Amino acid sequence: MAAFLYRMGRLAFRRRWTVALVWAAVLAAVGLAGMTAPEAEEEPFSMPGIESQEAFDLMEERFPGAAADGATARVVFVSPNGEKVTATENKEAVEAAIAELGDGTQVASTVDPYESGAVSEDGSTAYTTVTYKVDAAGLTDASRSRLEESLEHARDSGLTVEAGGDAMEDMGGPSGTAEAIGVSVAAVVLLITFGSLAAAGLPLLTALIGVGISLFAITALAGPLGLADTTSTVAIMLGLAVGIDYALFIVSRYREERAKGRTAQEAVALATGTAGSAVVFAGLTVVIALVGLSVVGIPMLTEMGLGAAGAVVVGVLIALTLVPAFLGFWPNAILTRKDRKDRKDRRAGGTPRERRKVNGGARWASFVLRRPLPVLLAAVAGLGALALPMTDLQLGMPGDEAKSTETTQRRAYDALAEGFGPGFNGPLTVVVDAKDADDPKAAAETVSERIGGTEGVVSVSPAQFNESGDTAVFSVVPTTAPTGQETKDLVNTIRGDRPGIESEAGATFEVTGTTAMNIDVSEKVQSALVPYLLVVVGLAVILLLVVFRSILIPLKAAAGFLLSVLASLGAVVVVFQQGHGADLLGVETTGPIMSLMPIFLVGIVFGLAMDYEVFLVSRMREAYVHGERPAQAVTSGFRHSARVVVAAALIMIAVFSGFIGDSDAMIKMIGFGLASAVLLDAFVVRMAIVPAVLALLGERAWWLPKWLDRILPRVDVEGEALTRPTDPEAEPAEKNLART
């Protein structure tokens, strides 16, 4: 591996113009494809293998065209000062507003609340539903503006008027604010780390090129594949973070080799062969974790994972080819002033100043090596304490109730809950398949009566039959809110009573609707988490076994990951579920954690955690293979890699933190979870637990059974094959290899 990448880096350096032009052509090609691609028609959310999805599919089959309805806006009217919406003046204002709402080229219909019975029992609240001829993505700016204007005109009458529904959703894609914040902070961190504008700018430039290619490619594929907006958002998030980090490691190793007196071409080749090998395997762990999301069986999660994995692959390829090419354009501008002065001294026949061999990373490693057990216990105890709130984790799919109270959707939700009861915002939909019943109508009535008599049910709507008369649909309004545990218990009770109800009715039924769908999704995600962990962690442990040729190092890496991911999930629960510090992040309403959040966080964090493991421990392995004792190897690894790993972690934290300000609740939660996970993994697990464990293990850390050593392929991540007698400061090769 190292020898192949060495040749690749040298070739990219020598053919830098060709490499740069090839990547420019790729960017131009995918950019043109993305800009000319038809606008994506987003596929509806689906979850194969759950009852609510099967019921929805049955509705699509038996009620053709029902699922293809256009966007809707549910407009809520609340009378002022204890008045009633049925009062003459208020009724006239509501009817005038409904007439204005229905006056639009894209409006299909409106519903009169006084005729449909959409008035609360106390007469304080009424609502109407505006249905459009097109879906939310097809609504024009003129239609959206007209809707907003109609709401304002209705408010002028003194009524409180709010609106929810998908017609009110912002259909825009990524705003770019989060990316700008991440890039800005990354630029500052890189400038401090390298002390050179050129060295700081190169990783940013190559990362932005990679993100551009990935974003345009996803945009071009969004139409044919029906990709969601979150696919591109997550791809940008990860592509930017790993793109900067991977280039950072190559540039850092290049500067290190140049400081030893090597030529620019040799330094580029060695940097690509050594740091580049670590980049390849770090990227592979991230890709494994992201592609592994497909085993969960959730199409949306699969799309996000594959899109982000593609962005990571692009980042790896750019780090291995375009970064060496750019180093060829500016071989000396990347160096520090001290390095450039040393080169002048060498050319003039002088002696370069002796470099200080001990830095902050080496001093920290020495501190941990002197006190490994206390450091290990303190780190594990701290992460364990942070992970404790995980025991209170509640999964769900928050809707408008999770939005800010400054939004009209949230205020409409609250008004409906107050006027019609908390369960009104999350009705259950029951689909009765009476195809084999002797009397379909009687069968549907039996199911409706039995479910309506269940404790926790407020009301049941009249059943509506399809044209064939063999399938009925009716709504069930619970007494409790959609995300409440009581509502989940109600769904389980109705399904648990199904055998008796179906036997009495002579027909089958299924429960669906948004609330039931969210409950089923949560249960499926929870059941898929353990198999997903086994698949991903198992593959990554095998990969690390090949990389480090050690039994205990991969197991330690996996255990450290579990600690960091559990602690980060605990932090998410503390903020987004329990509400501690939620105001600081703009989270006004707390509640269940999004169902997809834990498994998605696990996938991404695992890949990133293995990044730091590979970058840090590969330098220790390199020092060990070239003759250093285990404790010395740990110190050497920290001396060479700690500063760069810290910089890389700070960059990732900055990139992910920028997404905390996103309006999408899932993106906000993912941004916070990833930022906290990287913080904990990089600074607690990799900087404290890793050296402490290696110090306690000593020689045993690098133990590998001889039979396993013979059958494992050798990938030479540490660059053992690249050590040349003519290289300055070359170490005697393979002093410790026999012991491994």
Side-chain angles (χ1 to χ4, degrees), residues 66-114:
D69 290 342
T72 60
R74 177 180 281 180
V75 182
V76 186
F77 304 93
V78 181
S79 58
N81 304 321
E83 298 178 9
K84 295 183 182 297
V85 290
T86 53
T88 302
E89 186 177 346
N90 292 333
K91 184 176 180 181
E92 289 176 353
V94 170
E95 290 177 338
I98 293 173
E100 185 176 353
L101 288 166
D103 185 17
T105 57
Q106 290 189 310
V107 177
S109 65
T110 56
V111 179
D112 188 325
Y114 302 104

Side-chain angles (χ1 to χ4, degrees), residues 31-320:
L32 181 62
M35 289 186 289
T36 58
E39 190 171 344
E41 294 183 6
E42 191 167 324
E43 295 288 335
F45 179 82
S46 65
M47 174 74 75
I50 59 176
E51 177 179 328
S52 51
Q53 183 65 52
E54 292 171 356
F56 183 79
D57 294 340
L58 179 62
M59 288 175 60
E60 282 191 316
E61 177 187 342
R62 303 288 177 86
F63 293 84
D69 290 342
T72 60
R74 177 180 281 180
V75 182
V76 186
F77 304 93
V78 181
S79 58
N81 304 321
E83 298 178 9
K84 295 183 182 297
V85 290
T86 53
T88 302
E89 186 177 346
N90 292 333
K91 184 176 180 181
E92 289 176 353
V94 170
E95 290 177 338
I98 293 173
E100 185 176 353
L101 288 166
D103 185 17
T105 57
Q106 290 189 310
V107 177
S109 65
T110 56
V111 179
D112 188 325
Y114 302 104
E115 295 180 359
S116 63
V119 179
S120 62
E121 288 186 8
D122 61 3
S124 65
T125 309
Y127 70 89
T128 183
T129 301
V130 183
T131 304
Y132 291 87
K133 300 174 183 176
V134 296
D135 60 15
L139 283 178
T140 63
D141 292 338
S143 293
R144 293 180 185 277
S145 298
R146 189 170 188 82
L147 174 59
E148 295 288 350
E149 290 171 3
S150 300
L151 298 179
E152 288 299 327
H153 293 162
R155 291 177 183 127
D156 292 339
S157 66
L159 295 169
T160 297
V161 184
E162 307 295 348
D166 56 356
M168 300 298 299
E169 296 294 334
D170 179 12
M171 301 307 294
S175 64
T177 303
E179 294 86 341
I181 293 173
V183 170
S184 300
V185 176
V188 174
V189 173
L190 289 169
L191 188 59
I192 294 173
T193 302
F194 286 133
S196 164
L197 284 173
L202 193 151
L204 287 174
L205 175 60
T206 55
L208 289 174
I209 291 172
V211 167
I213 292 172
S214 301
L215 181 59
F216 282 129
I218 291 173
T219 303
L221 295 172
L225 301 181
L227 303 180
D229 289 338
T230 48
T231 303
S232 59
T233 304
V234 174
I236 292 171
M237 185 191 298
L238 277 179
L240 188 60
V242 302
I244 293 174
D245 281 3
Y246 293 166
L248 167 65
F249 283 104
I250 299 289
V251 172
S252 178
R253 187 60 183 257
Y254 168 80
R255 282 161 47 113
E256 183 183 324
E257 298 299 335
R258 289 297 301 276
K260 295 177 181 179
R262 292 189 170 94
T263 64
Q265 179 174 302
E266 181 69 8
V268 165
L270 286 170
T272 309
T274 52
S277 297
V279 165
V280 169
F281 284 98
L284 276 176
T285 59
V286 180
V287 169
I288 286 173
L290 292 171
V291 173
L293 290 170
S294 59
V295 305
V296 181
I298 303 175
M300 180 177 134
L301 206 57
T302 300
E303 292 172 5
M304 293 167 67
L306 293 178
V312 172
V313 171
V314 171
V316 171
L317 293 176
I318 283 182
L320 297 177

Side-chain angles (χ1 to χ4, degrees), residues 658-677:
F659 287 86
I660 296 175
D662 197 284
S663 59
D664 186 286
M666 183 171 182
I667 297 299
K668 180 191 289 284
M669 204 177 288
I670 288 175
F672 174 80
L674 289 177
S676 59

Side-chain angles (χ1 to χ4, degrees), residues 581-654:
D583 291 342
L584 299 176
L585 302 179
V587 181
E588 296 191 13
T589 303
T590 58
I593 303 303
M594 287 218 173
S595 301
L596 303 183
M597 171 65 183
I599 200 161
F600 190 73
L601 183 67
V602 165
I604 296 179
V605 171
F606 182 80
L608 299 181
M610 295 305 103
D611 265 11
Y612 299 126
E613 181 75 11
V614 171
F615 288 132
L616 188 61
V617 180
S618 63
R619 291 307 298 264
M620 299 178 189
R621 168 76 181 175
E622 182 177 341
Y624 181 74
V625 167
H626 288 88
E628 295 188 10
R629 304 296 300 172
Q632 291 176 310
V634 171
T635 303
S636 294
F638 270 80
R639 182 172 62 248
H640 291 297
S641 299
R643 186 180 183 188
V644 181
V645 168
V646 167
L650 290 176
I651 290 169
M652 280 200 177
I653 292 170

Side-chain angles (χ1 to χ4, degrees), residues 98 111 120 125 169 245 345 368 377 401 416 466 487 515 574 695 731:
I98 293 173
V111 179
S120 62
T125 309
E169 296 294 334
D245 281 3
D345 291 342
V368 176
L377 293 177
E401 78 279 4
L416 288 170
N466 62 344
T487 305
T515 301
V574 167
E731 298 283 353

Side-chain angles (χ1 to χ4, degrees), residues 230-589:
T230 48
T231 303
S232 59
T233 304
V234 174
I236 292 171
M237 185 191 298
L238 277 179
L240 188 60
V242 302
I244 293 174
D245 281 3
Y246 293 166
L248 167 65
F249 283 104
I250 299 289
V251 172
S252 178
R253 187 60 183 257
Y254 168 80
R255 282 161 47 113
E256 183 183 324
E257 298 299 335
R258 289 297 301 276
K260 295 177 181 179
R262 292 189 170 94
T263 64
Q265 179 174 302
E266 181 69 8
V268 165
L270 286 170
T272 309
T274 52
S277 297
V279 165
V280 169
F281 284 98
L284 276 176
T285 59
V286 180
V287 169
I288 286 173
L290 292 171
V291 173
L293 290 170
S294 59
V295 305
V296 181
I298 303 175
M300 180 177 134
L301 206 57
T302 300
E303 292 172 5
M304 293 167 67
L306 293 178
V312 172
V313 171
V314 171
V316 171
L317 293 176
I318 283 182
L320 297 177
T321 56
L322 191 58
V323 171
F326 279 175
L327 289 173
F329 288 120
W330 304 288
N332 295 325
I334 301 296
L335 306 179
T336 63
R337 291 181 180 178
K338 291 180 180 180
D339 288 335
R340 289 196 292 268
K341 188 176 186 305
D342 286 350
R343 288 185 56 78
K344 290 181 181 179
D345 291 342
R346 286 191 180 94
R347 286 197 297 268
T351 303
R353 289 170 294 176
E354 182 68 22
R355 293 299 176 88
R356 191 172 55 176
K357 294 295 183 182
V358 179
N359 57 19
R363 285 192 293 270
W364 169 252
S366 299
F367 171 81
V368 176
L369 290 172
R370 290 194 300 271
R371 306 168 183 83
L373 191 57
V375 169
L376 178 62
L377 293 177
V380 172
L383 292 176
L386 280 175
L388 278 178
M390 259 287 292
T391 57
D392 189 38
L393 176 67
Q394 297 175 8
L395 297 182
M397 293 290 283
D400 286 346
E401 78 279 4
K403 289 184 169 64
S404 167
T405 52
E406 296 180 0
T407 64
T408 186
Q409 295 98 316
R410 169 61 188 280
R411 294 194 294 267
Y413 179 95
D414 291 342
L416 288 170
E418 185 176 349
F420 296 90
F424 185 81
N425 285 297
L428 307 175
T429 300
V430 177
V431 185
V432 181
D433 184 358
K435 195 171 186 178
D436 298 327
D438 296 332
D439 186 346
K441 185 176 181 180
E445 288 178 354
T446 300
V447 174
S448 177
E449 289 174 2
R450 287 289 303 273
I451 292 178
T454 305
E455 184 179 355
V457 173
V458 173
S459 63
V460 176
S461 69
Q464 296 186 5
F465 283 82
N466 62 344
E467 290 185 6
S468 302
D470 59 5
T471 307
V473 174
F474 59 86
S475 295
V476 178
V477 178
T479 58
T480 52
T483 57
Q485 179 61 38
E486 297 88 349
T487 305
K488 180 179 179 180
D489 294 339
L490 174 62
V491 172
N492 291 332
T493 298
I494 293 173
R495 288 173 173 170
D497 293 341
R498 178 161 37 207
I501 298 175
E502 291 180 342
S503 176
E504 180 180 344
T508 62
F509 73 89
E510 294 175 316
V511 182
T512 185
T514 302
T515 301
M517 176 73 79
N518 293 341
I519 292 170
D520 292 346
V521 168
S522 300
E523 292 180 352
K524 179 166 184 177
V525 169
Q526 283 181 310
S527 63
L529 186 56
V530 173
Y532 171 69
L533 276 173
L534 291 175
V535 170
V536 173
V537 174
L539 289 174
V541 165
I542 293 173
L543 184 64
L544 293 179
L545 182 65
V546 173
V547 172
F548 296 126
R549 309 193 73 75
S550 162
I551 293 288
L552 297 179
I553 295 292
L555 296 178
K556 170 197 63 64
F561 152 72
L562 289 175
L563 279 173
S564 60
V565 77
L566 290 176
S568 63
L569 281 173
V572 170
V573 170
V574 167
V575 175
F576 289 88
Q577 183 175 307
Q578 299 177 351
H580 302 293
D583 291 342
L584 299 176
L585 302 179
V587 181
E588 296 191 13
T589 303

